[in-house]
Amino acid sequence: MLRTYLPAIVFICLGGIVGGLFITAGSLLGPKPKTPTKYQAEPYESGMPSEVQQGFRFGISFYLIAMLFILFDIEVVFLYPIAVQLRAFGTFALIETAVFIGLLVVAFVYVWRRGALEWR
């Protein structure tokens, strides 16, 4: 029973060790604030102090493109299991995959023509 779970246990342990090493290295090697209380209240992103003011708002096109990216990205993830086991599924899966990709292309062209991908 333990043999079947051994690879997963090793993977989880290695992930925890690598994550712990990264956190420790970041705290030891990262920049140290001169006055800790001053920098704790400020936003911090990607290793650099943020220059964005509190009143900054993103445009609606940012959120629209982000949602479209997530939508198409998740739909493409559904193709992975079929690609791995295509021979086991047979011709029917190949036809269904072609229809699925065709619908993705039609949706992408529709979004593109409507100007949703234009950065305004």
Side-chain angles (χ1 to χ4, degrees):
M1 181 79 170
L2 184 60
R3 271 193 178 159
T4 58
Y5 291 114
L6 187 62
I9 292 170
V10 169
F11 185 73
I12 289 171
C13 289
L14 285 176
I17 290 169
V18 169
L21 285 174
F22 283 156
I23 289 172
T24 305
S27 65
L28 293 176
L29 302 174
K32 308 284 188 280
K34 296 175 184 167
T35 57
T37 56
K38 177 181 176 186
Y39 289 107
Q40 287 176 354
E42 292 183 11
Y44 190 75
E45 181 179 344
S46 302
M48 301 291 294
S50 180
E51 300 294 327
V52 177
Q53 279 94 24
Q54 293 285 17
F56 182 76
R57 294 178 57 153
F58 287 103
I60 190 69
S61 60
F62 173 80
Y63 295 107
L64 183 61
I65 289 175
M67 287 176 57
L68 289 171
F69 171 75
I70 291 171
L71 179 74
F72 284 110
D73 190 43
I74 289 173
E75 288 178 351
V76 170
V77 168
F78 285 126
L79 295 174
Y80 183 74
I82 295 171
V84 171
Q85 293 291 325
L86 186 60
R87 290 185 190 189
F89 291 141
T91 309
F92 177 73
L94 183 64
I95 293 170
E96 290 295 321
T97 304
V99 169
F100 182 71
I101 291 173
L103 289 173
L104 279 178
V105 168
V106 168
F108 180 71
V109 168
Y110 174 76
V111 167
W112 187 8
R113 293 283 183 160
R114 292 285 307 234
L117 300 178
E118 297 292 324
W119 193 260
R120 293 180 219 117

